Amino acid sequence: MTEVLRVDLTNPDPDIIARAAACLRRGGLVAFPTETVYGLGVHALDSAAVLNLFAAKERPANDPLIVHVTSVDDLALLVAEVPATARELAARFWPGPLTIVMRRSAAVPDAVTAGLATVAIRVPSHPVARALIAAARIPVAAPSANLFSRPSPTAAAHVMADLGGRIDMILDAGPTHVGVESTVVDVSQDPPVILRPGVIGFDLLRTVMPHVGVLSDQPAEVAMPSPGLLTRHYSPHTPLLLYEGSRAASLALMERDARHSIDEGKRVVVLAFAEDIERVEPWAAQVVRLGNEANSAEVAARLYAALREADACRGDVILMRTLTSTDALGIAIGDRLRRAAAGRVVRE
Ligand code: TXA
Ligand code: MG
């Protein structure tokens, strides 16, 4: 049985938080909201509990977890040393949607780091996440609370759909705010490297780390520097075809392919920006709204819910085009969509 407990977003009920914290301390699995997506929390220093978490998510053991703590002071137990760069990043961006990879200490179980010499750490800003970790008084390892390779959950209902019956508790504080996962930056290497783009973007990180690099967009199977960065990830069950390039060219190619699919008797679902709805309605069997393309924050917050809705339409194929925006969220969304499309990308 999975218990779902409603909590207030800004002022969570201390009794509910205490129950969830006790569950974590006992080795239980508790899903909770963060500012990015819902996480599935577990006692980070309890190897047996961590193995249960991998089983519940059907996550491969070679994909390491992020450890969540309440402040930079909690790093001492978990890392070998705190590099000066990490201190600067923490001062500037924590609490918030930034994960920092550092050399780990012996206290962190191999199950958490997938045997790597490094550990990923983040201090979330969501009041419920902060209250829970503080009450538990332990570091909390938490991947996104979805089944492996499914879209990350941005609402408690998404967690329930994937993990209901497999985990102990879900703290429901409504939809998450950012919508895409934290930026991951590895400072254990010099120069530091951004392993996963997020709302804290390259330009902002460069103000603290002028030499920071970006993991190249080569097929992740080749190098696998961060085992979680598999190409197939965040995917709906229905095949997703992604169109990259200008708006006009992408819409023209989408219409061509849609009409071809319809001729073959297929049902075409379109994930459309508000600006494109009228343009795609004549040939889409079903249209799922993504928000305004001009507002990448709105698109990010809707992205994973929209992917799940498009999947629920039970079409034969989902078509969508990427944002043309190159701000931090535009880049992060493009990265997640390429993974969701699992290589099915059409360019003009
Ligand atoms: O926003 C987020 O980061 C959410 C919330 C719940 O905090 N968490 C999340 O966790 O997205 P997960 O497990 O879905 O993604 C963690 C990513 C993976 O790509 C993983 O490979 C990478 O972080 N990672 C974890 N530890 C690492 C390490 N030691 N070295 C390199 N990459 C690491
Ligand atoms: Mg994930």
Side-chain angles (χ1 to χ4, degrees):
M1 262 292 286
T2 300
E3 205 178 354
V4 182
L5 299 167
R6 286 280 321 174
V7 284
D8 189 78
L9 171 69
T10 49
N11 197 12
D13 180 340
D15 292 339
I16 294 178
I17 294 296
R19 272 180 62 195
C23 183
L24 283 176
R25 291 184 64 86
R26 285 197 303 271
L29 303 179
V30 177
F32 60 95
T34 80
E35 65 277 25
T36 56
V37 300
Y38 275 73
L40 179 59
V42 70
H43 191 324
L45 306 180
D46 180 340
S47 294
V50 172
L51 294 180
N52 286 339
L53 179 143
F54 274 84
K57 269 187 64 93
E58 299 177 19
R59 181 175 173 117
N62 70 352
D63 191 354
L65 306 180
I66 297 171
V67 179
H68 296 65
V69 294
T70 53
S71 96
V72 71
D73 301 331
D74 299 331
L75 293 183
L77 170 70
L78 303 168
V79 306
E81 51 147 359
V82 186
T85 316
R87 272 193 204 290
E88 287 167 47
L89 289 171
R92 180 84 185 272
F93 300 112
W94 280 357
L98 179 72
T99 295
I100 308 177
V101 173
M102 289 167 267
R103 292 187 60 77
R104 68 156 162 149
S105 76
V108 185
D110 278 343
V112 168
T113 67
L116 296 175
T118 53
V119 60
I121 302 184
R122 137 166 153 82
V123 175
S125 62
H126 195 292
V128 173
R130 294 181 65 73
L132 177 64
I133 303 163
R137 287 175 285 113
I138 48 170
V140 175
S144 49
N146 52 288
L147 279 175
F148 180 66
S149 94
R150 300 280 298 146
S152 291
T154 51
H158 303 158
V159 181
M160 198 60 185
D162 278 15
L163 300 174
R166 296 173 178 231
I167 64 177
D168 296 293
M169 211 179 270
I170 303 173
L171 296 181
D172 177 0
T176 59
H177 170 69
V178 178
V180 294
E181 307 83 350
S182 63
T183 307
V184 179
V185 59
D186 183 352
V187 303
S188 76
Q189 44 182 312
D190 193 30
V193 178
I194 300 171
L195 298 178
R196 180 172 72 182
V199 64
I200 296 177
F202 183 64
D203 292 340
L204 205 50
L205 289 171
R206 228 174 16 190
T207 63
V208 175
M209 305 176 292
H211 303 299
V212 66
V214 182
L215 187 69
S216 79
D217 207 7
Q218 295 308 306
E221 297 93 327
V222 179
M224 286 267 276
S226 184
L229 300 175
L230 295 165
T231 300
R232 189 187 146 75
H233 218 137
Y234 315 110
S235 303
H237 292 300
T238 317
L240 172 71
L241 266 177
L242 183 67
Y243 294 78
E244 293 190 337
S246 71
R247 172 174 189 256
S250 295
L251 284 171
L253 289 172
M254 281 166 77
E255 177 167 359
R256 178 202 66 186
D257 293 348
R259 293 198 184 278
H260 187 81
S261 292
I262 293 162
D263 287 344
E264 292 181 331
K266 292 183 176 160
R267 269 172 57 82
V268 175
V269 177
V270 180
L271 264 170
F273 299 116
E275 294 92 331
D276 295 346
I277 304 266
E278 280 179 31
R279 181 75 169 66
V280 305
E281 255 165 2
W283 41 266
Q286 245 165 311
V287 180
V288 174
R289 273 182 101 94
L290 256 177
N292 288 285
E293 183 185 13
N295 184 345
S296 40
E298 185 180 283
V299 176
R302 266 284 293 156
L303 182 70
Y304 289 133
L307 277 172
R308 284 175 183 262
E309 282 168 34
D311 220 8
C313 293
R314 305 211 160 272
D316 297 293
V317 62
I318 302 169
L319 307 185
M320 79 168 289
R321 64 182 186 87
T322 43
L323 272 81
T324 47
S325 158
T326 55
D327 63 13
L329 274 175
I331 288 168
I333 293 165
D335 165 77
R336 304 309 191 274
L337 285 175
R338 276 190 295 280
R339 296 175 204 284
R344 289 177 293 260
V345 179
V346 183
R347 292 184 187 86
E348 56 183 288

